[in-house]
């Protein structure tokens, strides 16, 4: 699974005070303060132009004083009343049709979604993507037209002439639509889970013979090798990400439903560093010319290696296999880059070793064949042998005093490359409940939905329905592209700012070639771009990172979503709701309701 | 401000602007008004005269361009004043997917009324506006008259002190109009202040204690209805038990003084005539307007005459 940025510990994420990265809470405060100052200054300037400085000051004071007073008059009963009407309105607008659409989609999805390779991944990404897009779309439609519709039908007249605070209206609406959306997600989630588990289930048959046949029958595009364990249990061996257990009843064999198809691995990630071909430590490996710099590569047949350092290794990290002893379960994903084709069916070979940090003590190399982009399991027993064929104990000798252990991976074939990122090697601690993992993925979708509702409700306080919709959609789209926007704004993406890009397109100028002559036009272009980039940076810093809010990949790839991440997302959603509700309050309170 | 002044506007003005801030219409020009506790006050004027704008300014639905409006002693933009206000809009702007009970319950909740009180009041109001049979029907199925009635009921859910009615009888049949007028008078009898605007003159004449006539955003006339309708150059004598001789004698006396006996009836004109003459007059001489009524008195001290319209500006 791709994880570009390691997940920060919750407290660091929220409260870190650092020059490079401000904690989310400080970021939130900064945005709110800047927004407040900016609106105050702009309000005062416009007021002064229209009414003179004294009156402008008085009005600004009244707006702020009102806001503080009305903060204490927000009433749960009123919020709930408005939420209820919002819900009734939503149901009247037949949102439940969306559920029907979704169910219909699932009914026919089975026809088109057939795959032999990792069906769980396909099904999960399908249902989660479908839910999140349909859910966001409905949340958008519901919430964006509600207030403008009230303005159009003038129903709002009878509402705001009651002792309703603008805050009640905003919060009530957000609450109401969130509840409707939650109901929708609940139904969609249930249907999705049912769909995935039903679609994944299949069985094989085993011909009843005297001797146990070698393989099961083919079903869902694969068959399993059969093996009898020491205790007599028959296993249809691990294939296509699952296995079956087989029970003998008289002459017949009963094959169970697939086991281990839906997983929620809890990984322990390490820190990755690279050794170059001379064996010297470097920050990154070799670039093989891929634009996406997520993975970097090590050359085969040299001393180049990828080294992960894991922290906190102790007895609990090992899995207990009963009589077989305890193992350190390491899972690794290798991306293979071939500079020569060779025999394409012969996999590229690599070695993996455990190493004690800060010393030369290494285990004997374990050979493996790298199957491109597939999770490979390596179980290291407690007692191992080192490179000098001396016995070493995993916990005693290889793990350092502070609980650190290094995993070293090298490629053996000359001029072939292995590509790695930080998340490509991990210790598989245990499996969490796949069901709760699925629920957690839905919480992420829920958070996205709440953020969309908050944006839409806030936008629709001053904008008419279609315009508010455009506004919200652009917010969402920009949110999905937030990283790119930030990259352009901070010059991390090649090609300069918007104007420079505009110049490069008609002049057919390469993104990385520089402008040679520095005449006035170029300088002006840079100047305008600097301004635009500053604006973009400001914009990007308040956009919700929808890409990062999605956890569908975790479920699809079978990894457990850390609660830390769920908590961060919930806090993020809460921050958007609070911030947008405040903005919405001022917009609604200080606009003329009538025309 | 005197205790019994419920609504006060000082030089209240409203200019409608377009998106770019260009002036479109001066809807209201420096309106000075005082409305007293317990009276039924009528705002009259042709379409586009600024009646509804005034009501909206009083409700805080619009912000004044200049001047100020005080309602129940608070600025009109203050939400707190809404606790004691009831508002029946021009058309019933209610959620059409709710039924009568739900509608009243919703607005009751907006006043933060506790459940028991709410239930009691909803019941009482539904009976009062005679919607008992339709209490479970969605408002979308309501006739115009029923919609007005539920509109009035929602305006009264908080037992307000001040009730603003925007065209309360518009679109109602004669019976509905009669009922609405009776309710308005009933509200006055309960000591509530009612401000209504209308262009249906007969209705205003029937229920209003005082009226203000607006035209093109300017106040043209202000005073007690009976005073405004009095015909100054006609003397009315009412007497009982006069013999025929006596009547003849009176006739002689009138004839001797070069008078002319018109009738023995109550000599009033209709409000309609007054209204139309004011509009004609205003169109003939634009800019003429009434100054603030100096001797305006609360209805309790009725009997005092109001100043006739004087010229200014």
């Amino acid at each position: 699974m791709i994880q570009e940025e390691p997940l920060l510990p919750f407290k660091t994420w929220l409260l870190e005070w650092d020059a490079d990265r401000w904690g989310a809470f400080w970021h939130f405060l900064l945005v709110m303060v800047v927004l407040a100052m900016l609106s105050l200054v702009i309000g005062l300037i416009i007021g002064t132009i229209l009414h003179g400085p004294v009156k402008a000051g008085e009005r600004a004071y009244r707006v702020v004083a009102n806001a503080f007073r009305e903060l204490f008059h927000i009433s749960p009963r009123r919020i709930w009343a408005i939420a209820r009407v919002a819900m009734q309105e939503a149901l009247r607008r037949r949102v439940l049709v969306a559920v029907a659409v979704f169910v219909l989609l699932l009914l026919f999805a089975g026809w088109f979604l057939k795959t032999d390779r990792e069906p769980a991944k396909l099904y999960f990404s399908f249902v989660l993507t479908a839910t999140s897009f349909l859910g966001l779309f409905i949340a958008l439609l519901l919430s964006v037209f509600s207030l403008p519709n009230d303005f159009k039908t003038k129903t709002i007249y009878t509402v705001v002439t009651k002792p309703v605070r603008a805050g009640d209206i905003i919060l009530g609406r957000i609450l109401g639509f969130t509840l409707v959306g939650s109901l929708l997600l609940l139904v969609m989630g249930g249907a999705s889970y049912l769909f995935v588990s039903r679609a994944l289930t299949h069985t094989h048959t085993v011909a009843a013979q005297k001797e146990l046949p070698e393989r099961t029958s083919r079903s869902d595009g694969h068959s399993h090798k059969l093996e009898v364990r020491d205790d007599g249990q028959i296993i249809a061996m691990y294939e296509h990400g699952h296995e079956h257990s087989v029970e003998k009843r008289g002459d017949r064999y009963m094959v169970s439903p697939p086991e281990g198809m839906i997983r929620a691995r809890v990984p322990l990630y390490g820190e990755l560093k690279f050794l170059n071909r001379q064996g010297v430590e470097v920050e990154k490996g070799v670039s093989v010319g891929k634009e996406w710099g997520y993975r970097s590569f090590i050359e085969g047949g040299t001393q180049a290696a990828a080294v992960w350092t894991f922290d906190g290794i102790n007895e609990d990290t090992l899995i207990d296999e009963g009589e077989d002893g305890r193992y350190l379960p390491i899972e690794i994903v290798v991306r293979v880059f071939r500079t020569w084709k060779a025999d394409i069916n012969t996999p590229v070979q690599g070695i993996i070793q455990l190493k004690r940090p800060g010393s030369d003590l290494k285990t004997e190399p374990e050979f493996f064949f790298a199957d491109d982009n597939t999770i490979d399991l390596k179980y290291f027993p407690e007692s191992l042998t080192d490179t000098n064929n001396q016995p070493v104990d995993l916990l005693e000798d290889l793990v350092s005093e502070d609980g650190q252990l290094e995993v070293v991976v090298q490629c053996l074939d000359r001029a072939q490359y292995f590509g790695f990122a930080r998340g490509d090697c991990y210790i598989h601690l245990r499996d969490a409940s796949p069901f709760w993992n699925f629920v957690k993925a839905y919480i992420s979708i829920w958070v996205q939905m709440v953020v969309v509702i908050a944006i839409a409700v806030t936008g629709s306080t001053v904008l008419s329905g279609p315009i508010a919709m455009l506004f919200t959609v652009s917010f969402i789209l920009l949110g999905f592209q937030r990283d790119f926007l930030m990259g352009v704004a901070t010059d991390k993406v090649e090609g300069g700012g918007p104007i420079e890009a505009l110049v490069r397109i008609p002049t057919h100028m390469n993104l990385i070639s520089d402008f040679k002559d520095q005449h006035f036009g170029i300088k002006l272009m840079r100047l305008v771009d600097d301004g635009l980039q500053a604006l973009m940076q400001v914009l990007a810093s308040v956009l919700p990172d929808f890409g990062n809010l999605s956890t569908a990949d975790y479920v699809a790839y079978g990894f457990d979503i850390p609660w830390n991440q769920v908590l961060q997302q919930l806090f993020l959603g809460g921050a958007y709701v609070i911030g947008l509700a405040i903005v919405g309050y001022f917009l609604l309170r200080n606009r003329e309701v009538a025309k | 401000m005197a205790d019994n002044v419920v609504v006060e506007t000082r030089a209240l003005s409203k200019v409608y602007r377009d998106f770019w801030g260009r002036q479109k219409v001066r809807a209201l020009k420096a309106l000075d008004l005082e409305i007293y506790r317990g009276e039924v006050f009528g705002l009259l004027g042709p379409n586009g005269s600024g009646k509804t704008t005034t009501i909206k300014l009083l409700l805080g639905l619009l912000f004044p361009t200049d001047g100020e409006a005080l309602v129940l002693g608070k600025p009109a933009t203050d939400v707190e004043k809404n606790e004691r206000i009831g508002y029946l809009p021009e058309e019933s702007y209610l959620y059409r997917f709710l039924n009568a009970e739900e509608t009243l319950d919703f607005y009751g909740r907006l006043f933060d009324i506790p459940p028991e009180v709410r239930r009691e009041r909803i019941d009482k109001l539904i009976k009062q506006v005679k919607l008992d049979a339709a209490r479970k029907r969605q408002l979308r199925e309501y006739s115009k008259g029923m919609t007005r009635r539920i509109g009035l009921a929602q305006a009264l859910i908080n037992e307000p002190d001040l009730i603003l009615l925007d065209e309360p009888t518009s679109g109602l049949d004669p019976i509905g109009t009669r009922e609405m007028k009776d309710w308005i008078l009933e509200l006055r009898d309960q000591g509530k202040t009612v401000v209504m605007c209308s262009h249906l003159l007969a209705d205003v004449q029937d229920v209003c204690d005082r009226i203000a006539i607006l035209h093109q955003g300017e106040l043209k006339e202000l005073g007690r209805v009976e005073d405004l309708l009095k015909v100054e150059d006609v003397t009315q004598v009412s007497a009982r038990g006069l013999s025929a001789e006596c009547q003849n004698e009176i006739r002689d006396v009138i004839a001797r003084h070069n008078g002319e006996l018109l009738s023995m009836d109550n000599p009033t004109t209709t409000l309609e005539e007054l209204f139309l003459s004011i509009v004609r007059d205003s169109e003939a001489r634009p800019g003429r307007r009434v100054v603030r009524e100096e001797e305006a008195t609360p209805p309790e001290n009725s009997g005092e005459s109001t100043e006739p319209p004087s010229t200014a500006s």
Side-chain angles (χ1 to χ4, degrees):
Chain A
M1 194 190 59
I2 286 144
Q3 203 185 20
E4 297 209 43
E5 294 291 331
L7 192 65
L8 292 169
F10 185 73
K11 220 174 145 193
T12 317
W13 172 79
L14 190 67
L15 294 172
E16 187 181 32
W17 185 279
D18 192 2
D20 295 335
R21 208 200 78 90
W22 284 34
F25 178 70
W26 307 119
H27 187 89
F28 174 74
L29 273 191
L30 177 77
V31 169
M32 293 317 284
V33 168
V34 168
L35 211 61
M37 301 313 277
L38 215 64
S39 0
L40 201 62
V41 168
I42 293 175
L44 279 175
I45 291 173
I46 293 179
T48 309
I49 294 170
L50 289 178
H51 312 287
V54 179
K55 218 158 176 201
E58 188 206 321
R59 281 193 189 196
Y61 168 75
R62 217 182 314 152
V63 165
V64 176
N66 265 340
F68 276 104
R69 211 163 21 143
E70 289 182 10
L71 186 68
F72 297 103
H73 282 99
I74 283 184
S75 134
R77 188 176 277 143
R78 284 195 291 259
I79 293 180
W80 179 235
I82 290 176
R84 267 177 33 149
V85 167
M87 276 150 62
Q88 275 165 310
E89 184 196 340
L91 296 179
R92 183 187 60 99
R93 285 212 258 147
R94 314 254 184 281
V95 283
L96 295 179
V97 172
V99 175
V101 169
F102 186 73
V103 171
L104 216 66
L105 204 67
L106 289 187
L107 282 178
F108 293 99
W111 290 3
F112 304 103
L113 296 174
K114 284 254 182 265
T115 177
D116 295 343
R117 215 183 135 102
E118 301 181 79
K121 188 155 118 191
L122 179 75
Y123 290 142
F124 273 125
S125 24
F126 167 71
V127 291
L128 288 172
T129 316
T131 325
S132 92
F133 279 108
L134 204 60
L136 291 193
F137 186 63
I138 292 163
L140 172 73
L141 282 188
L142 276 183
S143 46
V144 92
F145 288 111
S146 170
L147 257 178
N149 206 37
D150 268 20
F151 276 103
K152 211 163 79 188
T153 59
K154 301 184 180 170
T155 326
I156 194 84
Y157 289 12
T158 54
V159 175
V160 294
T161 49
K162 307 286 181 278
V164 177
R165 277 42 183 199
D168 294 333
I169 296 179
I170 309 266
L171 288 176
R173 280 218 153 58
I174 295 178
L175 177 69
F177 295 129
T178 301
L179 287 176
V180 174
S182 310
L183 178 76
L184 287 181
L185 283 189
L186 208 67
V187 177
M188 289 192 201
S192 302
Y193 197 76
L194 211 67
F195 167 76
V196 173
S197 42
R198 298 285 301 169
L200 287 179
T201 193
H202 64 273
T203 189
H204 304 265
T205 52
V206 176
Q209 300 169 359
K210 255 194 190 132
E211 289 276 305
L212 185 70
E214 202 170 299
R215 300 192 77 86
T216 64
S217 67
R218 271 183 81 81
S219 173
D220 267 32
H222 65 276
S223 67
H224 297 262
K225 195 167 170 249
L226 288 166
E227 202 179 87
V228 184
R229 281 205 185 151
D230 298 343
D231 56 358
Q233 170 89 46
I234 309 166
I235 293 290
M237 295 277 285
Y238 190 85
E239 182 84 29
H240 281 88
H242 66 281
E243 55 186 28
H244 302 263
S245 58
V246 182
E247 204 184 320
K248 191 172 183 188
R249 278 195 201 152
D251 294 343
R252 290 164 161 272
Y253 295 100
M254 306 289 290
V255 183
S256 76
E259 287 160 15
M261 206 147 192
I262 310 174
R263 315 189 65 175
R265 301 178 188 86
V266 181
L268 174 71
Y269 288 111
E271 287 307 321
L272 173 63
K273 61 185 180 193
F274 289 93
L275 303 182
N276 69 8
R277 46 187 305 162
Q278 281 82 34
V280 179
E281 193 181 316
V282 285
E283 199 190 326
K284 296 216 113 197
V286 182
S287 166
V288 291
K290 295 203 165 141
E291 270 189 57
W292 190 36
Y294 174 61
R295 289 196 171 83
S296 64
F297 289 73
I298 52 171
E299 195 182 338
T302 69
Q303 294 193 52
V307 182
W308 282 270
T309 313
F310 293 97
D311 226 334
I313 308 290
N314 53 36
E315 288 188 356
D316 298 337
T317 321
L318 307 185
I319 49 163
D320 205 340
E321 290 273 320
E323 281 178 23
D324 293 348
R326 295 189 297 182
Y327 291 92
L328 180 70
I330 289 180
E331 298 191 359
I332 184 162
V333 183
V334 186
R335 292 311 309 259
V336 181
F337 182 80
R338 291 169 185 263
T339 54
W340 50 291
K341 194 174 162 196
D343 178 4
I344 204 74
N345 288 320
T346 314
V348 179
Q349 213 178 14
I351 53 166
I352 180 166
Q353 290 167 290
L354 301 183
K355 180 174 173 288
R356 184 184 166 97
S359 88
D360 288 334
L361 186 62
K362 258 195 222 175
T363 57
E364 206 178 24
E366 173 134 349
F367 294 87
F368 68 95
F369 291 104
D371 197 357
D372 188 30
N373 206 12
T374 313
I375 296 176
D376 203 351
L377 301 104
K378 297 276 167 246
Y379 278 29
F380 288 91
E382 257 188 302
S383 35
L384 297 147
T385 44
D386 71 359
T387 37
N388 300 324
N389 238 344
Q390 299 299 311
V392 283
D393 187 82
L394 188 114
L395 289 177
E396 303 261 310
D397 303 322
L398 289 167
V399 176
S400 67
E401 284 84 33
D402 46 0
Q404 287 193 330
L405 174 73
E406 284 183 355
V407 174
V408 183
V409 179
Q410 284 177 291
C411 175
L412 288 185
D413 293 1
R414 281 179 62 86
Q416 308 287 39
Y417 292 79
F418 279 175
F420 291 113
R422 178 182 174 272
D424 286 343
C425 179
Y426 55 89
I427 296 172
H428 184 168
L429 290 179
R430 62 196 156 81
D431 275 347
S433 150
F435 174 75
W436 283 110
N437 204 28
F438 191 70
V439 171
K440 283 189 260 184
Y442 264 80
I443 294 179
S444 309
I445 297 177
W446 184 82
V447 170
Q448 294 180 46
M449 187 191 74
V450 173
V451 173
V452 168
I453 289 174
I455 297 168
V457 169
T458 300
S460 65
T461 53
V462 280
L463 303 171
S464 67
I467 307 293
M469 175 134 170
L470 264 179
F471 171 80
T472 315
V473 168
S474 6
F475 219 92
I476 297 171
L477 290 182
L478 285 176
F480 273 112
Q481 298 298 323
R482 183 186 194 246
D483 282 344
F484 177 72
L485 197 66
M486 203 52 150
V488 173
T490 52
D491 276 332
K492 281 195 186 110
V493 175
E494 300 280 0
I499 306 289
E500 191 175 326
L502 208 65
V503 173
R504 281 181 193 273
I505 292 169
T507 51
H508 294 237
M509 197 165 168
N510 193 314
L511 281 182
I512 44 171
S513 54
D514 222 346
F515 287 90
K516 283 204 179 65
D517 35 333
Q518 296 286 330
H519 57 77
F520 175 72
I522 303 292
K523 279 184 186 141
L524 185 70
M525 175 186 88
R526 287 266 152 81
L527 197 71
V528 176
D529 264 354
D530 284 347
L532 287 175
Q533 281 173 315
L535 269 179
M536 286 167 76
Q537 202 172 343
V538 170
L539 181 68
S541 69
V542 297
L543 284 174
D545 191 346
F546 279 105
N548 214 8
L549 274 175
S550 167
T551 46
D553 272 0
Y554 279 92
V555 177
Y557 285 83
F559 286 93
D560 186 51
I561 304 165
W563 278 109
N564 174 12
Q565 172 130 11
V566 177
L567 206 60
Q568 286 186 19
Q569 293 185 342
L570 285 173
F571 264 65
L572 204 69
Y576 272 103
V577 169
I578 293 171
L580 286 163
I582 293 173
V583 173
Y585 164 82
F586 281 106
L587 292 177
L588 186 60
R589 181 71 178 85
N590 298 296
R591 74 166 279 183
E592 285 185 323
V593 171
K595 271 192 186 137
Chain B
M1 191 202 281
D3 257 3
N4 53 2
V5 175
V6 177
V7 175
E8 185 182 7
T9 69
R10 297 185 197 132
L12 191 64
S13 307
K14 181 66 192 173
V15 177
Y16 287 112
R17 296 175 190 278
D18 67 2
F19 178 77
W20 304 107
R22 289 177 301 194
Q23 182 169 330
K24 264 177 19 190
V25 195
R26 286 180 70 86
L28 201 59
K29 299 171 194 164
L31 177 70
D32 289 316
L33 264 189
E34 275 184 356
I35 296 170
Y36 306 106
R37 187 177 307 281
E39 69 176 346
V40 178
F41 189 91
L43 280 167
L44 266 94
N47 292 332
S49 60
K51 308 184 298 284
T52 303
T53 301
T54 310
I55 296 264
K56 284 176 178 167
L57 283 165
L58 293 182
L59 284 165
L61 291 172
L62 291 174
F63 302 148
T65 312
D66 220 338
E68 64 174 338
L70 293 173
V71 178
L72 298 164
K74 296 203 169 80
T77 47
D78 193 333
V79 184
E80 269 171 56
K81 69 162 197 320
N82 293 349
E83 296 275 3
R84 291 160 62 202
I85 285 187
Y87 167 55
L88 171 68
E90 200 171 342
E91 278 161 46
S92 286
Y93 304 132
L94 305 170
Y95 289 105
R96 289 158 50 82
F97 51 88
L98 299 178
N99 65 35
E101 270 180 11
E102 288 168 339
T103 304
L104 294 183
D105 188 58
F106 170 64
Y107 290 107
R109 281 165 192 268
L110 295 188
F111 281 104
D112 228 339
I113 302 172
E116 316 83 56
V117 184
R118 210 159 60 216
R119 223 167 296 131
E120 197 179 298
R121 274 194 206 163
I122 291 170
D123 228 42
K124 198 183 86 192
L125 280 170
I126 286 185
K127 290 210 175 80
Q128 196 184 329
V129 297
K130 298 180 185 137
L131 285 172
D132 218 6
R135 62 196 293 161
K136 296 277 185 203
R137 274 167 63 193
Q138 286 194 352
L139 297 198
R140 68 172 81 227
E141 300 168 1
Y142 274 25
S143 71
K144 175 89 188 180
M146 292 161 88
T147 323
R148 287 314 272 172
R149 280 185 273 161
I150 186 71
L152 183 69
Q154 68 75 31
L156 299 179
I157 189 81
N158 58 329
E159 301 189 332
D161 296 336
L162 169 65
I163 300 142
L164 295 134
L165 307 170
D166 198 347
E167 307 279 358
T169 54
S170 79
L172 289 183
D173 60 13
I175 304 162
T177 310
R178 186 68 254 159
E179 275 177 346
M180 183 62 83
K181 286 198 275 197
D182 286 346
W183 280 321
I184 294 172
L185 292 173
E186 203 181 306
L187 290 170
R188 185 189 58 184
D189 293 343
Q190 289 168 15
K192 301 185 190 293
T193 314
V194 179
V195 178
M196 59 181 276
C197 75
S198 180
H199 51 244
L200 296 174
L201 306 170
D203 299 347
V204 174
Q205 185 173 12
D206 285 350
V207 297
C208 288
D209 298 318
R210 286 201 307 143
I211 52 166
I213 296 179
L214 293 170
H215 185 239
Q216 293 171 345
E218 288 183 4
L219 183 63
K220 295 294 178 189
E221 183 67 89
L222 177 67
R224 301 193 60 77
V225 175
E226 58 239 50
D227 297 337
L228 292 175
L229 300 185
K230 185 186 279 177
V231 182
E232 297 276 335
D233 59 349
V234 175
T235 312
Q236 183 180 337
V237 179
S238 295
R240 195 200 301 260
L242 294 184
S243 65
E245 289 153 23
C246 179
Q247 287 188 19
N248 283 335
E249 237 172 87
I250 292 169
R251 274 183 208 173
D252 290 344
V253 171
I254 292 169
R256 206 163 45 236
H257 290 277
N258 296 323
E260 184 197 353
L261 181 67
L262 298 173
S263 77
M264 296 290 179
D265 293 336
N266 205 348
T268 53
T269 179
T270 61
L271 179 56
E272 194 166 4
E273 271 177 26
L274 171 74
F275 174 74
L276 288 176
S277 81
I278 285 174
V279 171
R280 272 196 300 272
D281 184 35
S282 161
E283 271 163 0
R285 280 182 289 165
R288 195 189 80 109
R289 48 174 307 192
V290 74
V291 286
R292 184 155 168 205
E293 190 186 13
E294 276 156 15
E295 289 167 304
T297 40
E300 285 91 337
N301 312 339
S302 61
E304 272 185 49
S305 67
T306 337
E307 214 182 49
S310 56
T311 48
S313 68

